[in-house]
Every structure is written in C-alpha cells, then in structure tokens.
Amino acid sequence: GISRDSMHKRRASGGKRAIIRKSRKFELGRPPAMTKLTQGDTRIRLVRGRGGNMKRRALRLEAGNFSWGSEGTTRKVRILDVTYNASNNELLRTKTLVKGAIVQVD
C-alpha cells in the first residue's frame, strides 16, 4: 500500500538497502481525501490515529473557517466556488478543496 517509510530508499552511495523488518503500522500512508465542495450536505469520516486519537477526514464540505488579516477577524462562512488552483486545473474543474486553493466565500 501507500507507505511513509524510508526502507525503500537507497543509500547515499547508491547501493540498495537490505530490508531487515516488515512494515509497521506507524509507517502507513493514506490516500488523499480529495475534499469536494458541495451545497447542503457535509460528509466527514473518522480515521483512527496514533494513540487511539480520532482524526476527522472531510470528504464533502460547504463551509470553512476563514480569517481576514486586513480586518483582523475570523468567521465561519460558506464556500461558494473554487476559483483558482495553481497546482492542477483538474482540481479546479472538480471543485476539490486543497491547501492553497483560491476560493470565493459568502
């Protein structure tokens, strides 16, 4: 699966590293949430983290917490549209919410 380990990397000299143990639970990686912008319904899944803590993985969202530095305020507002994404045009077309996406708020 998706892993965050360094066992698959090569040595500084370029040689292969011998795998001395199997993969551990703390080395796992998860697929991206690909959070979509929707109107009306929010879908949030719980994911178990390390130490039994629960993370919230947003699959569909309609609102977010946004701050305006010029006014010095932070408000929970509705997200109207994803207007620009520097990393990928497909994320813009599918209205996927990612870090660094430019959104239009209510």
Side-chain angles (χ1 to χ4, degrees):
I2 304 168
S3 67
R4 291 175 50 245
D5 66 335
S6 59
M7 291 190 298
H8 66 281
K9 293 194 169 187
R10 287 179 176 260
R11 292 193 174 123
S13 62
K16 294 269 283 189
R17 232 184 223 137
I19 295 173
I20 55 170
R21 61 173 167 84
K22 58 185 180 178
S23 56
R24 303 287 196 244
K25 176 84 164 100
F26 61 81
E27 293 168 344
L28 69 84
R30 293 192 182 94
M34 303 299 274
T35 307
K36 299 285 189 265
L37 175 64
T38 58
Q39 301 300 324
D41 62 330
T42 60
R43 185 174 293 177
I44 296 169
R45 294 276 183 264
L46 290 174
V47 179
R48 186 191 177 276
R50 197 139 159 85
N53 297 305
M54 299 305 275
K55 288 183 173 184
R56 286 167 170 77
R57 180 76 32 96
L59 302 178
R60 293 179 189 173
L61 284 179
E62 63 171 342
N65 212 27
F66 291 89
S67 60
W68 285 266
S70 58
E71 296 162 30
T73 59
T74 302
R75 297 268 186 276
K76 182 180 179 183
V77 291
R78 275 189 337 123
I79 305 169
L80 298 176
D81 195 23
V82 181
T83 54
Y84 179 70
N85 197 321
S87 60
N88 195 343
N89 273 330
E90 189 181 344
L91 298 177
L92 177 68
R93 193 169 58 249
T94 56
K95 295 186 179 181
T96 305
L97 296 172
V98 292
K99 179 179 172 180
I102 309 296
V103 294
Q104 184 181 8
V105 295
D106 203 0

